[in-house]
Amino acid sequence: LANGVTYYYVIQAKGTGSCPPSAMSNCVTLTPSPCTTPGVPTIGTVTVPGLNQLRVSWTAGTPAGATYKIYRALGACPGGTYSLLASGVTASPYTDGTVSGTVTYSYKVSAVDSTGGCESAQSGCASGTATGTCNAPPNFAGLASVTNPANATCTLNLSWAAGSSNCAGTVSYNVYRSTTSPFTPAPANRIAAGVATTTYSDTNGLVNGTTYYYIVRAVDSANGVEDANTVTQSGAPTGPLTTGTWTDDGGDTGAAKLTATPTWTNAATGGRTAPKCYATGTYTNNMCAAVTTPVLNVAAGGGTLTFWSKYDIENNWDKGQVELSTNGGTTWARLTVTTYPLNVTNTGDACAFPAGQTYFSGTNLTYASYTATLPAGASVMVRWNLSSDVSVTGTGWWIDDISITNVAIPGTCTTGAGAPPPEVSPGSSSATAQSWAVDKTTMSWQAATGATGYRLYRGTPGNLPNLLTATTDSCTRYDGALLTFNLNGVNDQPAAGSFLWFLVTAYNGAGEGTAGNATAGPRTLNSTGVCP
C-alpha cells in the first residue's frame, strides 16, 4: 500500500456451477496511517565473534529507523536470493547464531519507522565466512518431475537436478510418498533412503490410476543434514496404451479430464445423471472461452465423439460450437455435429463466429445427445467454444458424459510387490547412534512404513563403522514385531562394562530394509552375510 493513499473495498461472493455471483457489498474506505520512510542504512562489516556466529554492523541513515530488518543470502556479495532473517532489531550490530561453519553469507539491512508502516530500501551488502562445524544442509531445488512410463507393472519415474554440498560432502537423496497433499516428510512415509542418482523408479505397491505425491530431499554425507524443501510433484500410474473408448463424466467416476478456460468450470452440480459436469454458469459479455480435451490418438477407421448438452445462450446472438485441432491446439476448425440446434443470423461476438450457420444458441434446459466423426489416424483435441457479444447473456452451457471411441487409452497396470521397509529411525528426536539406547537395557525405534517386524543386531568388538565392513565380527540377532526390546533376561547377557553396538532394521515379505542411508539392501556384518 502507498503511504497516505485511500483505498476502496467491496466484496462479491463467487458462484459455483450454474449459480451466479452475488451482488456487490457496500463500499468501505481505508487509509493507511501516515508514516515517514527512514533513510537507507549504510552497511558496515561482517565479523566472526565465535564459532558458528557472524556479526553484521551498519550505520543509520537520515532520518534513523526506529528498528531494523536483517536480510541474508548464501554466498559472497552480491549474494543470491536475500531472505528476511530478523526484524525489530533496535541497533547495530546484530549477531547471527544460525550460520554453518565454512559457509559464506551476505547481509543487507533496512530501516523501519516507529509505525511499522514504512521501510527503507535495503542497504548494500557485506559478506563473511563463518567458522565452526559445517552444519548446513545441501543446496537442492527439489523434485522436478514425476512421469508415468505406462508399464505393465504400475510404475512412476521421478527425476531431479543434482544438489550440491556446502560442507565438502557427497549428496544422496531420500524419497517420500503420500496419497494426500500437502504432506510432511517423515520416516513413516519415506520409501527410499540414500539414493545416489538423480532418478528413482517407484514400483512399490502402486495402484493403477491412484494419484501419488512425492517429495525428494537431499542429505549431505559430511554432516547427515537433510534439506527442508517441500516441493511436491504427483503422478498416477497406468498400464500400456490400448485401443478403446475415452470417457469423461466431469469427475463423477475418476478424474475430470478437460481443461477449462473461465468462465468454464468443472461444476459440482448440474450433471445429466450424476452431479458433476462442465458448465460456464452465467457467462460474461465479450467472452470467447472453451473447455478442451487432452490430445487423443484416433486409430485406423476413425472415432466417434458423443456428448450430452443443455444450454441457455442468448438467442440468435451468442454462439457455441464444437471445434477440432489436429496440431496440438495451434489451429482449430469447426467440427460438424449432428445436429447444431439453431441457425444464427447475427455477428459481433468475441470469437468472430460467422453468421448464417448453425450453433448452440437459444434455450434448451433438457439434456440431449450429440455426435461427430473424428478423422482416422490423427492426434486430435476437441473443444467446446462459447462466444458472446457486447450485451445480454444467458445462464450458460452445460457439457457432460463425453465419450470418444477407437482411441488410444491407458491400460490397467498390475500392482507390483511392495518394497522392503525403509531405514528405521531412532526412538528419540536425535539421529545419532547413541540415541538408540533409552536406558541401559531397553532399545526403542520408530515404526517403519510397511514393516511386519524388526531385527535388532548386537555386537561387542570394535566400533560401528568398522563392524559394518569387517569380516570376522560375531553378532546376535533378535526378531520381533514390537518397537522396543528389553535386553534383560537374554541368555548371552554381556558382562558389565562391555562395549556394545546396536543396529535395527525392518523387514516384511519383500525382504529386509536398509541399514544406514548408504546402502541399497541389507548390510552384511560378517563373511557369511547377514548375522544368523
CSV table of all heavy atoms in Angstrom, one decimal, residues 445 452-457 476-482 484-485 503 505-507 512 530-532:
chain,number,residue,atom,x,y,z
A,445,TRP,N,12.6,-47.7,18.8
A,445,TRP,CA,12.7,-47.1,17.5
A,445,TRP,C,11.4,-46.8,16.9
A,445,TRP,O,10.3,-47.2,17.5
A,445,TRP,CB,13.5,-48.0,16.5
A,445,TRP,CG,12.9,-49.4,16.5
A,445,TRP,CD1,12.0,-49.9,15.6
A,445,TRP,CD2,13.3,-50.5,17.3
A,445,TRP,NE1,11.7,-51.2,15.9
A,445,TRP,CE2,12.5,-51.6,16.9
A,445,TRP,CE3,14.1,-50.7,18.4
A,445,TRP,CZ2,12.6,-52.9,17.6
A,445,TRP,CZ3,14.2,-51.9,19.0
A,445,TRP,CH2,13.4,-53.0,18.6
A,452,THR,N,6.6,-55.6,8.9
A,452,THR,CA,5.9,-56.6,9.6
A,452,THR,C,6.7,-57.0,10.9
A,452,THR,O,6.1,-57.7,11.7
A,452,THR,CB,5.6,-57.8,8.8
A,452,THR,OG1,6.8,-58.3,8.3
A,452,THR,CG2,4.7,-57.4,7.6
A,453,GLY,N,8.0,-56.6,10.9
A,453,GLY,CA,8.8,-56.9,12.1
A,453,GLY,C,10.1,-56.2,12.0
A,453,GLY,O,10.4,-55.5,11.0
A,454,TYR,N,10.9,-56.4,13.0
A,454,TYR,CA,12.2,-55.7,13.1
A,454,TYR,C,13.3,-56.7,13.6
A,454,TYR,O,13.0,-57.7,14.3
A,454,TYR,CB,12.1,-54.5,14.1
A,454,TYR,CG,11.0,-53.6,13.7
A,454,TYR,CD1,9.7,-53.7,14.1
A,454,TYR,CD2,11.4,-52.5,12.9
A,454,TYR,CE1,8.7,-52.8,13.7
A,454,TYR,CE2,10.4,-51.6,12.5
A,454,TYR,CZ,9.1,-51.8,12.9
A,454,TYR,OH,8.1,-50.9,12.5
A,455,ARG,N,14.5,-56.4,13.2
A,455,ARG,CA,15.7,-57.2,13.6
A,455,ARG,C,16.6,-56.3,14.4
A,455,ARG,O,17.0,-55.2,13.9
A,455,ARG,CB,16.4,-57.8,12.4
A,455,ARG,CG,15.5,-58.9,11.8
A,455,ARG,CD,16.0,-59.5,10.5
A,455,ARG,NE,15.2,-60.6,10.1
A,455,ARG,CZ,15.0,-61.0,8.8
A,455,ARG,NH1,15.7,-60.4,7.9
A,455,ARG,NH2,14.2,-62.0,8.6
A,456,LEU,N,16.9,-56.7,15.6
A,456,LEU,CA,17.9,-56.0,16.4
A,456,LEU,C,19.2,-56.7,16.4
A,456,LEU,O,19.3,-57.9,16.8
A,456,LEU,CB,17.3,-55.8,17.8
A,456,LEU,CG,18.3,-55.2,18.9
A,456,LEU,CD1,18.6,-53.8,18.5
A,456,LEU,CD2,17.6,-55.3,20.3
A,457,TYR,N,20.2,-56.1,15.9
A,457,TYR,CA,21.6,-56.7,15.8
A,457,TYR,C,22.4,-56.1,17.0
A,457,TYR,O,22.3,-54.9,17.3
A,457,TYR,CB,22.3,-56.3,14.5
A,457,TYR,CG,21.6,-56.9,13.3
A,457,TYR,CD1,20.6,-56.3,12.6
A,457,TYR,CD2,22.0,-58.2,12.8
A,457,TYR,CE1,20.0,-56.8,11.5
A,457,TYR,CE2,21.4,-58.8,11.7
A,457,TYR,CZ,20.5,-58.1,11.0
A,457,TYR,OH,19.9,-58.6,9.9
A,476,THR,N,24.7,-61.0,17.4
A,476,THR,CA,23.5,-61.7,17.7
A,476,THR,C,22.3,-61.0,17.1
A,476,THR,O,22.3,-59.8,17.2
A,476,THR,CB,23.3,-61.8,19.2
A,476,THR,OG1,24.5,-62.5,19.8
A,476,THR,CG2,22.1,-62.6,19.6
A,477,ARG,N,21.3,-61.7,16.6
A,477,ARG,CA,20.1,-61.0,16.0
A,477,ARG,C,18.9,-61.5,16.7
A,477,ARG,O,18.7,-62.7,17.0
A,477,ARG,CB,20.0,-61.4,14.5
A,477,ARG,CG,18.9,-60.6,13.8
A,477,ARG,CD,18.7,-61.1,12.4
A,477,ARG,NE,17.9,-62.3,12.4
A,477,ARG,CZ,17.7,-63.0,11.3
A,477,ARG,NH1,18.3,-62.7,10.2
A,477,ARG,NH2,17.0,-64.1,11.3
A,478,TYR,N,18.0,-60.6,17.0
A,478,TYR,CA,16.7,-60.9,17.6
A,478,TYR,C,15.6,-60.4,16.7
A,478,TYR,O,15.7,-59.3,16.2
A,478,TYR,CB,16.5,-60.3,19.0
A,478,TYR,CG,17.7,-60.6,19.9
A,478,TYR,CD1,18.7,-59.7,20.1
A,478,TYR,CD2,17.7,-61.8,20.6
A,478,TYR,CE1,19.7,-60.0,21.0
A,478,TYR,CE2,18.7,-62.1,21.5
A,478,TYR,CZ,19.8,-61.2,21.6
A,478,TYR,OH,20.8,-61.5,22.5
A,479,ASP,N,14.6,-61.2,16.4
A,479,ASP,CA,13.5,-60.8,15.5
A,479,ASP,C,12.3,-60.5,16.4
A,479,ASP,O,12.0,-61.2,17.4
A,479,ASP,CB,13.1,-61.9,14.5
A,479,ASP,CG,14.2,-62.0,13.4
A,479,ASP,OD1,15.2,-61.3,13.5
A,479,ASP,OD2,14.0,-62.8,12.5
A,480,GLY,N,11.4,-59.6,15.9
A,480,GLY,CA,10.2,-59.3,16.6
A,480,GLY,C,9.4,-58.2,16.0
A,480,GLY,O,9.9,-57.4,15.2
A,481,ALA,N,8.1,-58.1,16.3
A,481,ALA,CA,7.3,-57.1,15.7
A,481,ALA,C,7.1,-55.8,16.6
A,481,ALA,O,6.5,-54.9,16.2
A,481,ALA,CB,5.9,-57.7,15.5
A,482,LEU,N,7.6,-55.9,17.9
A,482,LEU,CA,7.5,-54.7,18.8
A,482,LEU,C,8.4,-53.6,18.4
A,482,LEU,O,9.4,-53.8,17.7
A,482,LEU,CB,7.8,-55.2,20.2
A,482,LEU,CG,6.8,-56.3,20.8
A,482,LEU,CD1,7.3,-56.7,22.2
A,482,LEU,CD2,5.4,-55.8,20.8
A,484,THR,N,10.0,-51.9,20.8
A,484,THR,CA,11.0,-51.9,21.9
A,484,THR,C,11.5,-53.3,22.1
A,484,THR,O,10.9,-54.3,21.7
A,484,THR,CB,10.4,-51.3,23.2
A,484,THR,OG1,9.3,-52.2,23.6
A,484,THR,CG2,9.8,-49.9,23.0
A,485,PHE,N,12.7,-53.4,22.7
A,485,PHE,CA,13.3,-54.7,23.0
A,485,PHE,C,14.0,-54.5,24.4
A,485,PHE,O,14.9,-53.7,24.5
A,485,PHE,CB,14.3,-55.1,21.9
A,485,PHE,CG,14.7,-56.5,22.1
A,485,PHE,CD1,14.0,-57.6,21.7
A,485,PHE,CD2,16.0,-56.8,22.7
A,485,PHE,CE1,14.4,-58.9,21.9
A,485,PHE,CE2,16.4,-58.1,22.9
A,485,PHE,CZ,15.6,-59.2,22.5
A,503,LEU,N,22.1,-52.2,16.1
A,503,LEU,CA,21.6,-51.8,14.8
A,503,LEU,C,20.2,-52.4,14.6
A,503,LEU,O,20.0,-53.6,14.9
A,503,LEU,CB,22.5,-52.3,13.6
A,503,LEU,CG,22.1,-52.1,12.2
A,503,LEU,CD1,22.2,-50.6,11.9
A,503,LEU,CD2,23.0,-52.8,11.2
A,505,THR,N,17.0,-53.0,11.9
A,505,THR,CA,16.4,-53.0,10.6
A,505,THR,C,15.0,-53.4,10.6
A,505,THR,O,14.6,-54.1,11.5
A,505,THR,CB,17.2,-53.9,9.6
A,505,THR,OG1,17.1,-55.2,10.0
A,505,THR,CG2,18.7,-53.4,9.5
A,506,ALA,N,14.2,-53.1,9.6
A,506,ALA,CA,12.8,-53.5,9.5
A,506,ALA,C,12.7,-54.6,8.3
A,506,ALA,O,13.5,-54.6,7.4
A,506,ALA,CB,11.9,-52.3,9.1
A,507,TYR,N,11.7,-55.4,8.4
A,507,TYR,CA,11.6,-56.4,7.3
A,507,TYR,C,10.1,-56.6,7.1
A,507,TYR,O,9.2,-56.3,7.9
A,507,TYR,CB,12.3,-57.7,7.7
A,507,TYR,CG,11.7,-58.5,8.9
A,507,TYR,CD1,10.6,-59.3,8.8
A,507,TYR,CD2,12.3,-58.3,10.1
A,507,TYR,CE1,10.1,-60.0,9.9
A,507,TYR,CE2,11.8,-59.0,11.2
A,507,TYR,CZ,10.7,-59.8,11.1
A,507,TYR,OH,10.2,-60.5,12.2
A,512,GLU,N,14.5,-57.6,3.8
A,512,GLU,CA,15.0,-56.7,4.9
A,512,GLU,C,15.3,-55.3,4.4
A,512,GLU,O,15.9,-55.2,3.3
A,512,GLU,CB,16.2,-57.4,5.6
A,512,GLU,CG,16.7,-56.6,6.8
A,512,GLU,CD,17.8,-57.4,7.5
A,512,GLU,OE1,18.4,-58.3,6.9
A,512,GLU,OE2,18.1,-57.0,8.6
A,530,VAL,N,24.3,-61.7,6.3
A,530,VAL,CA,23.6,-61.2,7.4
A,530,VAL,C,23.8,-62.1,8.6
A,530,VAL,O,23.8,-63.3,8.5
A,530,VAL,CB,22.1,-61.0,7.1
A,530,VAL,CG1,21.3,-60.5,8.3
A,530,VAL,CG2,22.0,-60.0,5.9
A,531,CYS,N,23.9,-61.5,9.8
A,531,CYS,CA,24.1,-62.4,11.1
A,531,CYS,C,23.0,-63.4,11.2
A,531,CYS,O,21.8,-63.2,10.9
A,531,CYS,CB,24.0,-61.5,12.3
A,531,CYS,SG,25.3,-60.2,12.3
A,532,PRO,N,23.3,-64.6,11.6
A,532,PRO,CA,22.3,-65.7,11.8
A,532,PRO,C,21.3,-65.3,12.8
A,532,PRO,O,21.6,-64.5,13.7
A,532,PRO,CB,23.2,-66.9,12.2
A,532,PRO,CG,24.4,-66.3,12.8
A,532,PRO,CD,24.7,-65.0,12.0
